[in-house]
């Protein structure tokens, strides 16, 4: 259910490519926000490499010139927070890449995100009569890194209890502020439709982007590859969660 918080951002998120990898939960603990715990899928800690398009973006109701349509690629993992009544399932972002420096400035300062600005591009290409390829690229140290998927041209709903539901159905974002303070914000969108992924690509300088700890896990074949069509989304103004420190004695 929506909170009383006003909308900070509205946009469309479209053509989401998600490559999902199992990792050792220990490598996620430095990023784990207070008052949350890692949300496991069948006992496994997962991270996702995500590529998608921002379209028709408004910040505080305003379309900022040259910041309306752009690519994003991020690495995220999954957490949950118990608010005293129910569990809220959310995502934590290890790193996010966009092509616009102003987005980095706003998101990192207001939402304590982990954005960086790099040259980016994307393409949508037909792959025969029944499939389409979606490709996101970003330029790092003079080399184009890439994330993409070849997808069947047939949409289906996300099934309840499915791996796709676990990956896509997160309506909260959490960012670590201190050992005892967390930023929480709500994300609103309709349930998306998905399509079968026939093939995928991920070629990137993992160490430079995410650190040595992620190299062994992101260098192997993902456990799953998903695609969703996306929809209009709204991000509400954030608030803070405080965890009482345990005092000695």
């Amino acid at each position: 259910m929506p909170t009383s918080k006003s909308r900070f951002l509205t946009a469309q998120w479209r053509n989401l490519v998600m490559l999902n990898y199992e990792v050792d939960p220990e490598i996620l603990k430095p990023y784990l926000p207070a008052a949350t715990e890692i949300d496991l899928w069948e006992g496994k800690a997962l991270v996702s490499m995500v590529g998608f398009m921002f379209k028709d973006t408004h910040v505080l109701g305003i379309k900022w010139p040259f910041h309306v349509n752009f690519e994003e690629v991020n690495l995220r993992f999954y957490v949950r927070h118990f608010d005293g009544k129910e569990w809220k399932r959310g995502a934590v972002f290890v790193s996010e890449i966009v092509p616009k420096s102003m987005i980095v400035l706003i998101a990192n300062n207001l939402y304590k995100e982990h954005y960086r600005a790099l040259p980016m591009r994307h393409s949508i290409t037909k792959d025969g009569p029944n499939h389409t390829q979606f490709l996101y690229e970003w330029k790092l140290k003079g080399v184009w890194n890439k994330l993409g998927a070849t997808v069947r041209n047939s949409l289906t709903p996300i099934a309840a209890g499915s791996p796709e539901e676990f990956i896509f159905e997160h309506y909260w974002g959490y960012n670590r502020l201190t050992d005892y303070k967390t930023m929480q914000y709500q994300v609103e969108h309709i349930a998306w439709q998905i399509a079968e992924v026939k093939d995928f690509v991920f070629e990137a300088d993992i160490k430079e982007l995410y650190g040595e700890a992620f190299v062994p896990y992101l260098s192997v074949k993902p456990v799953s590859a998903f695609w969703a069509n996306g929809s209009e989304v709204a991000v509400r103004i954030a608030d803070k969660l405080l965890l009482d420190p345990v005092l000695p004695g």
Side-chain angles (χ1 to χ4, degrees):
M1 295 292 293
T3 69
S4 59
K5 297 287 184 179
S6 299
R7 291 181 172 186
F8 172 75
L9 176 145
T10 60
Q12 296 180 37
W13 292 350
R14 294 294 182 183
N15 300 326
L16 293 95
V17 173
M18 311 275 286
L19 303 187
N20 311 302
Y21 299 83
E22 183 180 357
V23 301
D24 183 342
E26 290 297 317
I27 73 169
L28 303 178
K29 288 184 177 178
Y31 306 93
L32 187 65
T36 71
E37 61 183 55
I38 296 173
D39 195 7
L40 302 176
W41 169 253
E42 296 184 340
K44 300 175 181 179
L46 300 180
V47 301
S48 297
M49 284 299 314
V50 186
F52 67 102
M53 288 297 301
F54 262 94
K55 293 190 173 184
D56 195 28
T57 305
H58 294 67
V59 177
L60 296 175
I62 300 172
K63 272 190 177 183
W64 296 92
F66 311 110
H67 292 75
V68 177
N69 303 312
F70 53 90
E71 304 89 350
E72 177 172 324
V73 168
N74 66 59
L75 174 64
R76 72 180 193 175
F77 67 98
Y78 305 98
V79 299
R80 60 180 191 164
H81 162 69
F82 189 68
D83 67 0
K85 296 180 180 179
E86 63 179 353
W87 286 101
K88 294 177 177 177
R89 300 182 60 239
V92 176
F93 295 93
V94 176
S95 177
E96 297 160 272
I97 303 167
V98 291
K100 306 292 185 179
S101 297
M102 183 59 68
I103 297 166
V104 174
L105 180 66
I106 293 173
N108 289 357
N109 281 280
L110 293 184
Y111 278 71
K112 306 303 178 185
E113 298 280 12
H114 304 93
Y115 275 95
R116 66 190 296 181
L118 294 172
M120 298 187 75
R121 64 191 184 188
H122 74 282
S123 62
I124 302 175
T125 308
K126 289 185 178 180
D127 183 29
N130 300 317
H131 294 86
T132 302
Q133 182 186 76
F134 299 87
L135 184 64
Y136 299 96
E137 298 179 276
W138 60 101
K139 198 172 188 179
L140 180 64
K141 293 184 175 180
V143 177
W144 284 101
N145 295 215
K146 59 182 66 175
L147 170 69
T150 302
V151 178
R152 182 178 296 278
N153 299 335
S154 178
L155 294 175
T156 59
I158 295 175
S162 66
E164 290 88 347
E165 182 186 54
F166 176 82
I167 292 295
F168 286 117
E169 298 290 302
H170 289 82
Y171 294 96
W172 295 88
Y174 294 95
N175 290 324
R176 186 181 189 277
L177 299 179
T178 70
D179 288 346
Y180 306 109
K181 187 184 296 185
T182 293
M183 182 168 285
Q184 170 186 262
Y185 56 91
Q186 188 174 17
V187 180
E188 301 169 17
H189 61 78
I190 63 171
W192 294 332
Q193 292 183 299
I194 56 175
E196 179 188 353
V197 174
K198 182 181 79 168
D199 199 6
F200 55 83
V201 61
F202 176 49
E203 299 174 4
D205 188 339
I206 298 167
K207 182 178 179 180
E208 171 65 23
L209 288 165
Y210 310 119
E212 185 72 43
F214 285 93
V215 173
Y217 303 103
L218 299 182
S219 301
V220 299
K221 183 179 178 179
V223 297
S224 58
F226 300 147
W227 181 93
N229 60 349
S231 68
E232 295 181 352
V233 300
V235 177
R236 300 248 171 200
I237 291 174
D239 55 13
K240 292 182 175 66
L241 304 175
L242 297 176
L243 181 68
D244 290 334
V246 178
L247 299 178

